[in-house]
Every structure is written in C-alpha cells, then in structure tokens.
Amino acid sequence: MLFLTLASELIGIAILLLVIYFLGRPIIRGAIYFPTTPHGVSVMLKLADIKPGEKIVDLGSGDGRILIAAAKMGADAVGYEINPVLVRQSRRAIARAGIRAVVHWESFWNVDLSEFDVVIVYGIPYIMQDLQKKLERELRPGTRIISNAFKFPGWTPIAEEHKMRLYVFKGTGGA
C-alpha cells in the first residue's frame, strides 16, 4: 500500500514538472508574450504592403492575431511559436475566424525562411543581431521585414511608424 501511494505521488510530481517545463520553457528561452495591439497589427500590415498569395511568416506568432489579419488580406500566413498554450490559442482563433493559416509549435531558429515574401517579428533586443545574421543567410532579395519596437543593428529601415520598422532585404549587403 505504501509503495502504491509513493508511486502515485512520484507520478504526480513528474506530471507537474512536465507541465511547468512546457509552460515555463518559452519564458526562459524566448520572449515573454506581449500582444500587439489591433492598431499595431494594422500598422505592421500596412508597412508590409501584403498582396494576395504572398507568403508571410510571423516569428513568435503569439495568439495568431497577425496571421489572421494577414490571411484575411489573402496572404498564405505561417507562424512559429514555442509556447504551447499560445499555439493552441492561436489555432483555435484561426479556426473560429474561418481562414487558412498555420501555426507551428517550433522555434523559428530551426526553420529555413527562404520561401517567405514578408517576415514579421516582435523580437527582443538580445536576439536582433543573431536574427539579422539568420535573415541575411536565408532571405531572397526583395523580402520585406517588419520589426515591431526593436531595430536590427546595421540595417536602415525604409519606413517607420509608431516604432514599427520596414526593412527590404537587398541581398548580401543586408537591408
């Protein structure tokens, strides 16, 4: 009887630790979720000048609000998010909106971004330099990059509105 009680408690602790790990991992390894306001979404999509059929990616797609808005404009919208709670929330919002968009539960650091026409990111300062290097390796010339709040070091935005910046990738020389 004591053995079964102990085993049951150990299993309960193991499950609790797994839940804490999966919920806490994004906070430790990535940016804390801070949603973009509806006005901010509008500004970003205006700067991106999305055309129907273009492929957009939202790096750290949160609750999916940018993906939903872009898909309503006719874009093929793809998001990458490492917080499983936000992935589930965004997938449900996408289904409720009745649009086609995809959210992957995966770090964007592991993904080839070369197929996208528009890259949207609400990064945090300590990732911007490494992200810039990744984008320089993977993007095609002409790819539009929208950064919310934080600048890419060494790149000059071609437009800026409410701390949201539009960069156009030129190729080996950056943006």
Side-chain angles (χ1 to χ4, degrees), residues 1-16:
M1 187 70 164
L2 180 63
F3 175 76
L4 289 177
T5 303
L6 183 61
S8 174
E9 286 185 29
L10 288 175
I11 290 171
I13 290 170
I15 291 171
L16 179 63

mmCIF file with all atom_site columns, all heavy atoms in Angstrom, residues 1-16:
data_model
loop_
_atom_site.group_PDB
_atom_site.id
_atom_site.type_symbol
_atom_site.label_atom_id
_atom_site.label_alt_id
_atom_site.label_comp_id
_atom_site.label_asym_id
_atom_site.label_entity_id
_atom_site.label_seq_id
_atom_site.pdbx_PDB_ins_code
_atom_site.Cartn_x
_atom_site.Cartn_y
_atom_site.Cartn_z
_atom_site.occupancy
_atom_site.B_iso_or_equiv
_atom_site.pdbx_formal_charge
_atom_site.auth_seq_id
_atom_site.auth_comp_id
_atom_site.auth_asym_id
_atom_site.auth_atom_id
_atom_site.pdbx_PDB_model_num
ATOM 1   N N   . MET A 1 1  ? 0.816  -1.185 0.000   1.00 0.00 ? 1  MET A N   1
ATOM 2   C CA  . MET A 1 1  ? 0.000  0.000  0.000   1.00 0.00 ? 1  MET A CA  1
ATOM 3   C C   . MET A 1 1  ? 0.872  1.266  0.000   1.00 0.00 ? 1  MET A C   1
ATOM 4   O O   . MET A 1 1  ? 0.600  2.200  -0.732  1.00 0.00 ? 1  MET A O   1
ATOM 5   C CB  . MET A 1 1  ? -0.925 -0.039 1.216   1.00 0.00 ? 1  MET A CB  1
ATOM 6   C CG  . MET A 1 1  ? -1.915 1.064  1.226   1.00 0.00 ? 1  MET A CG  1
ATOM 7   S SD  . MET A 1 1  ? -3.113 0.779  -0.061  1.00 0.00 ? 1  MET A SD  1
ATOM 8   C CE  . MET A 1 1  ? -4.351 1.869  0.430   1.00 0.00 ? 1  MET A CE  1
ATOM 9   N N   . LEU A 1 2  ? 1.903  1.276  0.834   1.00 0.00 ? 2  LEU A N   1
ATOM 10  C CA  . LEU A 1 2  ? 2.820  2.412  0.898   1.00 0.00 ? 2  LEU A CA  1
ATOM 11  C C   . LEU A 1 2  ? 3.512  2.612  -0.448  1.00 0.00 ? 2  LEU A C   1
ATOM 12  O O   . LEU A 1 2  ? 3.695  3.736  -0.893  1.00 0.00 ? 2  LEU A O   1
ATOM 13  C CB  . LEU A 1 2  ? 3.850  2.189  2.014   1.00 0.00 ? 2  LEU A CB  1
ATOM 14  C CG  . LEU A 1 2  ? 4.884  3.291  2.191   1.00 0.00 ? 2  LEU A CG  1
ATOM 15  C CD1 . LEU A 1 2  ? 4.206  4.592  2.598   1.00 0.00 ? 2  LEU A CD1 1
ATOM 16  C CD2 . LEU A 1 2  ? 5.915  2.885  3.219   1.00 0.00 ? 2  LEU A CD2 1
ATOM 17  N N   . PHE A 1 3  ? 3.863  1.500  -1.095  1.00 0.00 ? 3  PHE A N   1
ATOM 18  C CA  . PHE A 1 3  ? 4.522  1.566  -2.400  1.00 0.00 ? 3  PHE A CA  1
ATOM 19  C C   . PHE A 1 3  ? 3.617  2.246  -3.431  1.00 0.00 ? 3  PHE A C   1
ATOM 20  O O   . PHE A 1 3  ? 4.066  3.092  -4.204  1.00 0.00 ? 3  PHE A O   1
ATOM 21  C CB  . PHE A 1 3  ? 4.926  0.161  -2.862  1.00 0.00 ? 3  PHE A CB  1
ATOM 22  C CG  . PHE A 1 3  ? 5.504  0.153  -4.249  1.00 0.00 ? 3  PHE A CG  1
ATOM 23  C CD1 . PHE A 1 3  ? 6.794  0.599  -4.470  1.00 0.00 ? 3  PHE A CD1 1
ATOM 24  C CD2 . PHE A 1 3  ? 4.748  -0.269 -5.335  1.00 0.00 ? 3  PHE A CD2 1
ATOM 25  C CE1 . PHE A 1 3  ? 7.327  0.614  -5.749  1.00 0.00 ? 3  PHE A CE1 1
ATOM 26  C CE2 . PHE A 1 3  ? 5.275  -0.264 -6.608  1.00 0.00 ? 3  PHE A CE2 1
ATOM 27  C CZ  . PHE A 1 3  ? 6.571  0.181  -6.819  1.00 0.00 ? 3  PHE A CZ  1
ATOM 28  N N   . LEU A 1 4  ? 2.335  1.878  -3.443  1.00 0.00 ? 4  LEU A N   1
ATOM 29  C CA  . LEU A 1 4  ? 1.395  2.476  -4.403  1.00 0.00 ? 4  LEU A CA  1
ATOM 30  C C   . LEU A 1 4  ? 1.198  3.965  -4.135  1.00 0.00 ? 4  LEU A C   1
ATOM 31  O O   . LEU A 1 4  ? 1.129  4.772  -5.069  1.00 0.00 ? 4  LEU A O   1
ATOM 32  C CB  . LEU A 1 4  ? 0.049  1.754  -4.351  1.00 0.00 ? 4  LEU A CB  1
ATOM 33  C CG  . LEU A 1 4  ? 0.036  0.341  -4.921  1.00 0.00 ? 4  LEU A CG  1
ATOM 34  C CD1 . LEU A 1 4  ? -1.341 -0.285 -4.751  1.00 0.00 ? 4  LEU A CD1 1
ATOM 35  C CD2 . LEU A 1 4  ? 0.425  0.356  -6.388  1.00 0.00 ? 4  LEU A CD2 1
ATOM 36  N N   . THR A 1 5  ? 1.142  4.360  -2.906  1.00 0.00 ? 5  THR A N   1
ATOM 37  C CA  . THR A 1 5  ? 0.998  5.768  -2.554  1.00 0.00 ? 5  THR A CA  1
ATOM 38  C C   . THR A 1 5  ? 2.219  6.557  -3.001  1.00 0.00 ? 5  THR A C   1
ATOM 39  O O   . THR A 1 5  ? 2.101  7.640  -3.580  1.00 0.00 ? 5  THR A O   1
ATOM 40  C CB  . THR A 1 5  ? 0.783  5.921  -1.034  1.00 0.00 ? 5  THR A CB  1
ATOM 41  O OG1 . THR A 1 5  ? -0.348 5.157  -0.660  1.00 0.00 ? 5  THR A OG1 1
ATOM 42  C CG2 . THR A 1 5  ? 0.576  7.373  -0.647  1.00 0.00 ? 5  THR A CG2 1
ATOM 43  N N   . LEU A 1 6  ? 3.403  6.002  -2.725  1.00 0.00 ? 6  LEU A N   1
ATOM 44  C CA  . LEU A 1 6  ? 4.650  6.661  -3.120  1.00 0.00 ? 6  LEU A CA  1
ATOM 45  C C   . LEU A 1 6  ? 4.747  6.763  -4.643  1.00 0.00 ? 6  LEU A C   1
ATOM 46  O O   . LEU A 1 6  ? 5.102  7.820  -5.180  1.00 0.00 ? 6  LEU A O   1
ATOM 47  C CB  . LEU A 1 6  ? 5.851  5.902  -2.547  1.00 0.00 ? 6  LEU A CB  1
ATOM 48  C CG  . LEU A 1 6  ? 7.222  6.503  -2.819  1.00 0.00 ? 6  LEU A CG  1
ATOM 49  C CD1 . LEU A 1 6  ? 7.316  7.900  -2.219  1.00 0.00 ? 6  LEU A CD1 1
ATOM 50  C CD2 . LEU A 1 6  ? 8.304  5.614  -2.252  1.00 0.00 ? 6  LEU A CD2 1
ATOM 51  N N   . ALA A 1 7  ? 4.415  5.681  -5.329  1.00 0.00 ? 7  ALA A N   1
ATOM 52  C CA  . ALA A 1 7  ? 4.460  5.684  -6.800  1.00 0.00 ? 7  ALA A CA  1
ATOM 53  C C   . ALA A 1 7  ? 3.488  6.717  -7.362  1.00 0.00 ? 7  ALA A C   1
ATOM 54  O O   . ALA A 1 7  ? 3.812  7.451  -8.298  1.00 0.00 ? 7  ALA A O   1
ATOM 55  C CB  . ALA A 1 7  ? 4.151  4.294  -7.338  1.00 0.00 ? 7  ALA A CB  1
ATOM 56  N N   . SER A 1 8  ? 2.299  6.784  -6.795  1.00 0.00 ? 8  SER A N   1
ATOM 57  C CA  . SER A 1 8  ? 1.294  7.748  -7.246  1.00 0.00 ? 8  SER A CA  1
ATOM 58  C C   . SER A 1 8  ? 1.781  9.183  -7.047  1.00 0.00 ? 8  SER A C   1
ATOM 59  O O   . SER A 1 8  ? 1.610  10.036 -7.920  1.00 0.00 ? 8  SER A O   1
ATOM 60  C CB  . SER A 1 8  ? -0.005 7.511  -6.474  1.00 0.00 ? 8  SER A CB  1
ATOM 61  O OG  . SER A 1 8  ? -0.942 8.494  -6.785  1.00 0.00 ? 8  SER A OG  1
ATOM 62  N N   . GLU A 1 9  ? 2.401  9.453  -5.907  1.00 0.00 ? 9  GLU A N   1
ATOM 63  C CA  . GLU A 1 9  ? 2.926  10.797 -5.651  1.00 0.00 ? 9  GLU A CA  1
ATOM 64  C C   . GLU A 1 9  ? 4.071  11.140 -6.602  1.00 0.00 ? 9  GLU A C   1
ATOM 65  O O   . GLU A 1 9  ? 4.155  12.265 -7.088  1.00 0.00 ? 9  GLU A O   1
ATOM 66  C CB  . GLU A 1 9  ? 3.378  10.909 -4.199  1.00 0.00 ? 9  GLU A CB  1
ATOM 67  C CG  . GLU A 1 9  ? 2.211  11.000 -3.238  1.00 0.00 ? 9  GLU A CG  1
ATOM 68  C CD  . GLU A 1 9  ? 2.639  11.240 -1.808  1.00 0.00 ? 9  GLU A CD  1
ATOM 69  O OE1 . GLU A 1 9  ? 3.709  11.855 -1.607  1.00 0.00 ? 9  GLU A OE1 1
ATOM 70  O OE2 . GLU A 1 9  ? 1.910  10.806 -0.909  1.00 0.00 ? 9  GLU A OE2 1
ATOM 71  N N   . LEU A 1 10 ? 4.929  10.192 -6.892  1.00 0.00 ? 10 LEU A N   1
ATOM 72  C CA  . LEU A 1 10 ? 6.040  10.434 -7.824  1.00 0.00 ? 10 LEU A CA  1
ATOM 73  C C   . LEU A 1 10 ? 5.524  10.717 -9.229  1.00 0.00 ? 10 LEU A C   1
ATOM 74  O O   . LEU A 1 10 ? 6.044  11.595 -9.926  1.00 0.00 ? 10 LEU A O   1
ATOM 75  C CB  . LEU A 1 10 ? 7.011  9.253  -7.823  1.00 0.00 ? 10 LEU A CB  1
ATOM 76  C CG  . LEU A 1 10 ? 7.878  9.119  -6.573  1.00 0.00 ? 10 LEU A CG  1
ATOM 77  C CD1 . LEU A 1 10 ? 8.700  7.836  -6.636  1.00 0.00 ? 10 LEU A CD1 1
ATOM 78  C CD2 . LEU A 1 10 ? 8.776  10.316 -6.396  1.00 0.00 ? 10 LEU A CD2 1
ATOM 79  N N   . ILE A 1 11 ? 4.513  9.994  -9.637  1.00 0.00 ? 11 ILE A N   1
ATOM 80  C CA  . ILE A 1 11 ? 3.921  10.227 -10.959 1.00 0.00 ? 11 ILE A CA  1
ATOM 81  C C   . ILE A 1 11 ? 3.296  11.625 -10.999 1.00 0.00 ? 11 ILE A C   1
ATOM 82  O O   . ILE A 1 11 ? 3.465  12.362 -11.971 1.00 0.00 ? 11 ILE A O   1
ATOM 83  C CB  . ILE A 1 11 ? 2.887  9.140  -11.309 1.00 0.00 ? 11 ILE A CB  1
ATOM 84  C CG1 . ILE A 1 11 ? 3.619  7.813  -11.563 1.00 0.00 ? 11 ILE A CG1 1
ATOM 85  C CG2 . ILE A 1 11 ? 2.043  9.546  -12.520 1.00 0.00 ? 11 ILE A CG2 1
ATOM 86  C CD1 . ILE A 1 11 ? 2.707  6.615  -11.711 1.00 0.00 ? 11 ILE A CD1 1
ATOM 87  N N   . GLY A 1 12 ? 2.602  11.999 -9.944  1.00 0.00 ? 12 GLY A N   1
ATOM 88  C CA  . GLY A 1 12 ? 2.010  13.332 -9.866  1.00 0.00 ? 12 GLY A CA  1
ATOM 89  C C   . GLY A 1 12 ? 3.063  14.430 -9.943  1.00 0.00 ? 12 GLY A C   1
ATOM 90  O O   . GLY A 1 12 ? 2.889  15.426 -10.637 1.00 0.00 ? 12 GLY A O   1
ATOM 91  N N   . ILE A 1 13 ? 4.172  14.243 -9.238  1.00 0.00 ? 13 ILE A N   1
ATOM 92  C CA  . ILE A 1 13 ? 5.272  15.216 -9.267  1.00 0.00 ? 13 ILE A CA  1
ATOM 93  C C   . ILE A 1 13 ? 5.876  15.283 -10.665 1.00 0.00 ? 13 ILE A C   1
ATOM 94  O O   . ILE A 1 13 ? 6.159  16.374 -11.169 1.00 0.00 ? 13 ILE A O   1
ATOM 95  C CB  . ILE A 1 13 ? 6.333  14.870 -8.203  1.00 0.00 ? 13 ILE A CB  1
ATOM 96  C CG1 . ILE A 1 13 ? 5.757  15.132 -6.804  1.00 0.00 ? 13 ILE A CG1 1
ATOM 97  C CG2 . ILE A 1 13 ? 7.605  15.693 -8.417  1.00 0.00 ? 13 ILE A CG2 1
ATOM 98  C CD1 . ILE A 1 13 ? 6.619  14.594 -5.678  1.00 0.00 ? 13 ILE A CD1 1
ATOM 99  N N   . ALA A 1 14 ? 6.046  14.140 -11.297 1.00 0.00 ? 14 ALA A N   1
ATOM 100 C CA  . ALA A 1 14 ? 6.618  14.113 -12.649 1.00 0.00 ? 14 ALA A CA  1
ATOM 101 C C   . ALA A 1 14 ? 5.717  14.862 -13.634 1.00 0.00 ? 14 ALA A C   1
ATOM 102 O O   . ALA A 1 14 ? 6.194  15.637 -14.470 1.00 0.00 ? 14 ALA A O   1
ATOM 103 C CB  . ALA A 1 14 ? 6.832  12.675 -13.108 1.00 0.00 ? 14 ALA A CB  1
ATOM 104 N N   . ILE A 1 15 ? 4.426  14.649 -13.528 1.00 0.00 ? 15 ILE A N   1
ATOM 105 C CA  . ILE A 1 15 ? 3.480  15.350 -14.412 1.00 0.00 ? 15 ILE A CA  1
ATOM 106 C C   . ILE A 1 15 ? 3.532  16.850 -14.153 1.00 0.00 ? 15 ILE A C   1
ATOM 107 O O   . ILE A 1 15 ? 3.571  17.651 -15.090 1.00 0.00 ? 15 ILE A O   1
ATOM 108 C CB  . ILE A 1 15 ? 2.054  14.790 -14.241 1.00 0.00 ? 15 ILE A CB  1
ATOM 109 C CG1 . ILE A 1 15 ? 1.995  13.362 -14.803 1.00 0.00 ? 15 ILE A CG1 1
ATOM 110 C CG2 . ILE A 1 15 ? 1.019  15.692 -14.919 1.00 0.00 ? 15 ILE A CG2 1
ATOM 111 C CD1 . ILE A 1 15 ? 0.712  12.621 -14.495 1.00 0.00 ? 15 ILE A CD1 1
ATOM 112 N N   . LEU A 1 16 ? 3.562  17.250 -12.897 1.00 0.00 ? 16 LEU A N   1
ATOM 113 C CA  . LEU A 1 16 ? 3.648  18.670 -12.551 1.00 0.00 ? 16 LEU A CA  1
ATOM 114 C C   . LEU A 1 16 ? 4.917  19.291 -13.114 1.00 0.00 ? 16 LEU A C   1
ATOM 115 O O   . LEU A 1 16 ? 4.885  20.398 -13.672 1.00 0.00 ? 16 LEU A O   1
ATOM 116 C CB  . LEU A 1 16 ? 3.597  18.848 -11.031 1.00 0.00 ? 16 LEU A CB  1
ATOM 117 C CG  . LEU A 1 16 ? 3.711  20.285 -10.527 1.00 0.00 ? 16 LEU A CG  1
ATOM 118 C CD1 . LEU A 1 16 ? 2.543  21.129 -11.017 1.00 0.00 ? 16 LEU A CD1 1
ATOM 119 C CD2 . LEU A 1 16 ? 3.798  20.309 -9.017  1.00 0.00 ? 16 LEU A CD2 1
#
